[in-house]
Amino acid sequence: RLIARSRLAHVLDDAVAADVPLVLISAPAGSGKSTLVAGWADERPGSVAWLQLEESDADAARFWVSVVAAIGRTHPEVAERLAPIMSGSQGAEQVVVPALVNELSTLGGRLVVVLDDYHLIDDPSVHRGVERLIDLSPPNVTIVLITRADPPFRLGRMRVRDRVRELRAADLRFAPVVVPPTGFAGF
């Protein structure tokens, strides 16, 4: 059973409604990042493509094939059209990202792409490609990046341009609630 985190869900809803391309959720292990997003995703309308990253996804070719496969679970036509490009590109972000952006821009509805455990990615070309995907992302796409450490993106630039919403460890902490005793008359 999950505890409703309406304040945090509102941040996620607001980012999607405002066409913000990146939601960065960065906090230590055990902070409830994935649980928060999973609960939110179950309650929201629209498509959610979830990719649970592994260490082997740090390889650029495997990473982009995995991203497209995750999107393909909700939009098989996108994965079908991108399959030849994925196999021929060897994961080159200069090829993959524009093709992916072009396909995502044809979607009729909203798509949220969740990249969970992004801290496992250590390939600079993958980081460049994801940052470029965020920069070029069509308004109907929001990327939710769940990580234990900030990615090497130009986050300051994204903040200034209002292209990112962030949730940090302090945001994910539960606050104590003080309930006054009932029937206490005091002296």
Side-chain angles (χ1 to χ4, degrees), residues 11-23:
V11 171
L12 295 165
D13 287 336
D14 178 57
V16 170
D19 296 333
V20 174
L22 175 63
V23 176

Side-chain angles (χ1 to χ4, degrees), residues 2-186:
L2 295 177
I3 297 172
R5 310 284 311 264
S6 58
R7 176 182 57 85
L8 299 175
H10 178 70
V11 171
L12 295 165
D13 287 336
D14 178 57
V16 170
D19 296 333
V20 174
L22 175 63
V23 176
L24 175 62
I25 304 175
S26 182
S31 298
K33 304 176 296 291
S34 299
T35 303
L36 166 69
V37 176
W40 170 77
D42 282 344
E43 299 294 319
R44 71 170 311 282
S47 300
V48 177
W50 191 295
L51 176 57
Q52 181 66 51
L53 293 164
E54 301 172 358
E55 288 182 9
S56 58
D57 290 314
D59 172 71
R62 181 178 166 123
F63 176 85
W64 292 110
V65 165
S66 297
V67 168
V68 169
I71 294 168
R73 287 190 283 279
T74 59
H75 296 284
E77 71 283 3
V78 171
E80 185 179 313
R81 287 191 295 262
L82 286 174
I85 295 168
M86 292 298 120
S87 63
S89 71
Q90 300 295 313
E93 85 258 13
Q94 304 89 336
V95 175
V96 172
V97 173
L100 184 54
V101 168
N102 288 338
E103 285 299 324
L104 295 176
S105 67
T106 67
L107 296 178
R110 165 86 33 207
L111 174 65
V112 173
V113 179
V114 179
L115 301 177
D116 196 358
D117 285 337
Y118 191 80
H119 56 274
L120 296 173
I121 303 301
D122 59 4
D123 184 327
S125 73
V126 172
H127 293 309
R128 282 191 309 272
V130 172
E131 186 173 12
R132 187 163 181 228
L133 175 62
I134 293 162
D135 283 343
L136 301 175
S137 183
N140 62 318
V141 176
T142 298
I143 298 168
V144 177
L145 203 141
I146 303 171
T147 182
R148 294 180 189 171
D150 285 359
F153 299 165
R154 295 168 292 181
L155 291 173
R157 179 176 173 231
M158 290 180 188
R159 289 177 189 123
V160 168
R161 294 180 174 183
D162 199 28
R163 307 271 298 157
V164 62
R165 296 287 190 277
E166 299 174 70
L167 290 173
R168 303 292 179 163
D171 301 310
L172 296 169
R173 287 189 191 111
F174 286 97
V177 176
V178 179
V179 178
T182 57
F184 180 75

